[in-house]
Amino acid sequence: MPVEVTRKRIRNMYLRIKPPSGEVVVSAPARMSERMIVDFVRGRREWIDRQRERMAKARHEAMAGFDEGEFDPSSVGGVGGVEEAGDDLFSASGLDPFDGDTRSVDPVPLASPSSDSPASNDGGDADFDRTHVWTDDRRKHAEAAINAALPGLLDKWTPIVGKSPTHITLRLMTSRWGSCTPKTGRIRLNLQLGLMEPEFLEYVLVHELTHLWERGHGERFRARMDAYLPRWRDLRRELNRRIVL
């Protein structure tokens, strides 16, 4: 099973599953041995397989809803299924899940598995075709919905946050609802937000505007979000349970 490993200046090891195909991503302390990382992932193999299978099932259900013309964004959830940590840490999608207020998994393996671990039961979606979901009409509908809402949202929030973007780009993203470049003031929003409840577009916009003040998700970022949008943690938790298509 391929695993993407990023070493950081952190004390504990973190594991998450990335859409759209269920890639396994690990953030590990800089000096942690490769053997410990391997054991850590193998020790959680059953959990990984379950999350990937649930992710694929939820995505197929969403695609079926698209095909029938009855897509309901609120029905495309339930893949968070966290067993070993908080919802955001093991998010299947969404904004950077490594916020400071999440809990970490154990920094060492629970147990060392045998060398004959089972072959990959791939819960990912190798046959997932995004072009099948994102037709020209659907793209136009999502873009129109966001463009119609943005002027009012910017008029409301730029005076509150005290920052305004230099440019906003709408694009399809595979693992995030939004991103920004603080140095240039550019914000990017996931086009799928145009097919979802308006409160999620508002939350992501406020989140990215706040990053024009604070680059990370540390204490100062969270304090600003608490002041701007007191419900932001609830919105983040619910959004991170949705599937990125």
Side-chain angles (χ1 to χ4, degrees), residues 11 15 20 26 30 35 80 118 144 150 157 177 189 197 211 223 227 235:
R11 295 180 61 185
L15 167 68
V26 170
R35 180 72 265 168
L150 277 179
W157 286 106
W177 296 111
L189 300 173
E197 296 90 329
H211 274 312
L235 291 168

Side-chain angles (χ1 to χ4, degrees), residues 131-188:
T131 61
H132 173 67
V133 175
W134 287 102
T135 63
D136 288 342
D137 286 344
R138 203 161 283 130
R139 284 173 179 261
K140 291 177 181 178
H141 176 78
E143 183 177 356
I146 295 177
N147 284 332
L150 277 179
L153 290 174
L154 290 171
D155 286 345
K156 174 183 177 180
W157 286 106
T158 53
I160 295 174
V161 177
K163 290 283 188 178
S164 59
T166 59
H167 187 76
I168 294 180
T169 302
L170 308 182
R171 62 173 62 169
L172 291 176
M173 301 181 180
T174 62
S175 62
R176 292 181 181 270
W177 296 111
S179 65
C180 76
T181 306
K183 184 176 181 179
T184 62
R186 297 176 70 91
I187 287 176
R188 292 161 290 280

Side-chain angles (χ1 to χ4, degrees), residues 89-117:
L89 180 62
F90 286 95
S91 166
S93 59
L95 298 158
D96 188 351
F98 301 113
D99 287 4
D101 60 348
T102 60
R103 289 175 290 158
S104 67
V105 285
D106 300 333
V108 295
L110 295 177
S112 179
S114 61
S115 60
D116 56 343
S117 296

Side-chain angles (χ1 to χ4, degrees), residues 209-225:
L209 286 173
T210 304
H211 274 312
L212 298 182
W213 284 110
E214 305 293 341
R215 291 176 178 269
H217 295 91
E219 182 178 350
R220 292 189 301 181
F221 173 86
R222 298 194 299 275
R224 285 184 177 276
M225 288 295 293

Side-chain angles (χ1 to χ4, degrees), residues 70-87:
E70 301 176 350
F71 177 61
D72 177 9
S74 65
S75 68
V76 193
V79 301
V82 177
E83 296 182 357
E84 298 183 39
D87 289 342

